[in-house]
């Protein structure tokens, strides 16, 4: 069993437990549930830089990245740097995140927030909405076409935007549908953790122009973005590169100014 399969097994179990503790009515009663969505796709279309900065403490491939910042320090730093949006990892076991991180981020900034999570159930989309997210991530590698359709349509019914992540042509072909806003190509193979910008380049032409194109993972310098822009990418998700420094906001500022 590869790491992605393990994460999904654990995630399904986690959702069952959470459903038994926190009823849907409680999530729907959240102060954020009626909040108007801030559009990341529009921000990316209108931006010259397209940076989506990530809050990420650790990962299965890198173990610990950074535990020394508060969520508020990181996300305010990203907002001040001029990021188009912020990705907040909420998985606890493998990434050291939580829904509280999303809540704190929402209380701290006024730019779009992505709940970065392994979503397998509508319940997690309700959680995202209740904790202030503006969009969710769906990962094609772990979902069938029917699941992508039902989960994305459910997210849209709540006013959330949807970023779908693919890694190869097969995943892309099964996933293209009108209920998506953005299609992201992950440059990291989630099964082997190998990273290459070639994944984004190879798939660029296959992504219809109705969707905002996002490149994710392995973007560690300005050259990578300059290399990808001619392929039609408007969004660039960067996490580790900022988080591994002493000051994530300062690192993001310098990076964005360099663009």
């Amino acid at each position: 069993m590869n790491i992605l399969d393990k994460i999904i097994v654990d995630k399904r179990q986690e959702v069952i437990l959470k459903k038994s503790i926190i009823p849907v009515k409680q999530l729907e009663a959240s102060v954020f549930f009626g909040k108007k969505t801030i559009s990341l796709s529009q921000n990316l279309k209108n931006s010259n830089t397209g940076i989506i900065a990530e809050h990420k403490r650790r990962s299965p491939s890198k173990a610990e990245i950074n535990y020394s910042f508060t969520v508020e320090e990181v996300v305010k730093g990203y907002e001040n740097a001029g990021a188009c949006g912020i990705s907040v990892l909420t998985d606890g076991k493998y990434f050291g995140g939580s829904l509280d991180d999303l809540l704190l981020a929402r209380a701290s900034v006024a730019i779009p927030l992505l709940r970065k999570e392994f979503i397998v159930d509508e319940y997690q989309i309700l959680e995202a909405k209740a904790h202030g997210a503006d969009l969710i991530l769906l990962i094609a590698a772990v979902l069938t076409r029917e699941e992508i359709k039902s989960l994305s349509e459910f997210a849209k019914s709540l006013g959330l935007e949807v970023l779908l992540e693919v890694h190869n042509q097969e995943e892309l072909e099964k996933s293209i549908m009108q209920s998506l806003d953005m299609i992201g190509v992950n440059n990291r193979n989630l099964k082997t953790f190998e990273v290459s910008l070639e994944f984004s380049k190879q798939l660029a032409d296959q992504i219809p122009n109705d969707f905002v194109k996002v490149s994710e993972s392995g973007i560690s310098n300005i050259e990578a973005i300059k290399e990808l822009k001619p392929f039609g990418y408007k969004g660039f998700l960067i996490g580790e590169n900022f988080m591994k420094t002493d000051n994530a906001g300062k690192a993001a500022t310098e990076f964005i100014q360099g663009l």
Side-chain angles (χ1 to χ4, degrees), residues 2 38 47 78 80-81 85 99 127 150 158 164 176 218 223 225 253:
N2 63 49
I38 312 162
S47 170
Y78 286 159
N80 293 336
L99 278 165
E127 286 181 323
S150 65
L158 295 177
L164 180 98
I176 292 173
E223 284 62 45
I225 289 178
T253 302

Side-chain angles (χ1 to χ4, degrees), residues 18-250:
K18 282 186 165 184
K19 280 180 170 177
S20 71
I21 301 165
I22 301 167
V24 166
K25 279 201 168 93
Q26 193 173 322
L27 295 173
E28 290 174 341
S30 157
V31 290
F32 289 126
F33 213 82
K35 182 187 81 69
K36 192 175 182 297
T37 298
I38 312 162
S39 172
L40 178 62
S41 61
Q42 283 306 318
N43 276 12
L44 293 176
K45 283 178 192 170
N46 299 332
S47 170
N48 293 321
T49 57
I51 300 301
I52 306 161
E54 190 158 83
H55 179 271
K56 175 175 172 180
R57 293 189 182 88
R58 61 183 166 91
S59 75
S61 62
K62 284 280 162 69
E64 188 170 317
I65 298 166
N66 202 323
Y67 274 85
S68 58
F69 301 140
T70 65
V71 176
E72 298 96 312
E73 285 169 332
V74 174
V75 298
K76 279 181 176 166
Y78 286 159
E79 183 176 47
N80 293 336
C84 289
I86 298 170
S87 165
V88 181
L89 269 142
T90 60
D91 174 78
K93 183 173 179 181
Y94 296 92
F95 291 88
S98 73
L99 278 165
D100 281 348
D101 291 341
L102 186 57
L103 212 50
L104 289 168
R106 180 73 292 151
S108 306
V109 298
I111 59 174
L113 294 180
L114 164 69
R115 181 185 187 189
K116 183 91 173 280
E117 181 57 270
F118 299 86
I119 289 181
V120 292
D121 193 287
E122 286 184 359
Y123 184 83
Q124 293 163 288
I125 301 173
L126 290 166
E127 286 181 323
K129 181 76 174 165
H131 288 77
D134 298 287
L135 65 151
I136 57 149
L137 176 75
L138 295 178
I139 302 172
V142 301
L143 300 167
T144 63
R145 179 174 174 82
E146 290 66 36
E147 287 170 329
I148 293 166
K149 188 173 188 295
S150 65
L151 291 169
S152 58
E153 286 176 354
F154 184 68
K156 299 297 284 181
S157 76
L158 295 177
L160 296 170
E161 288 195 321
V162 181
L163 167 62
L164 180 98
E165 176 180 299
V166 299
H167 184 262
N168 56 38
Q169 183 138 5
E170 186 190 347
E171 289 175 8
L172 180 62
E173 284 171 0
K174 81 169 182 188
S175 307
I176 292 173
M177 56 189 76
Q178 285 310 113
S179 45
L180 309 173
D181 301 281
M182 293 153 276
I183 293 182
V185 179
N186 193 341
N187 299 307
R188 175 178 285 115
N189 184 320
L190 290 174
K191 294 176 180 173
T192 64
F193 283 94
E194 167 211 358
V195 177
S196 169
L197 294 183
E198 290 307 309
F199 293 122
S200 282
K201 291 178 186 175
Q202 286 162 9
L203 289 178
D205 285 347
Q206 315 295 321
I207 301 171
N209 291 329
D210 315 1
F211 306 103
V212 176
K213 296 179 195 177
V214 178
S215 186
E216 309 170 21
S217 300
I219 300 167
S220 55
N221 53 46
I222 287 160
E223 284 62 45
I225 289 178
K226 288 180 176 165
E227 220 177 294
L228 290 168
K229 276 195 170 179
F231 289 87
Y233 286 94
K234 295 291 288 175
F236 307 92
L237 196 144
I238 302 175
E240 240 154 74
N241 201 48
F242 301 148
M243 286 297 292
K244 68 186 180 187
T245 65
D246 293 335
N247 186 328
K250 184 167 175 259

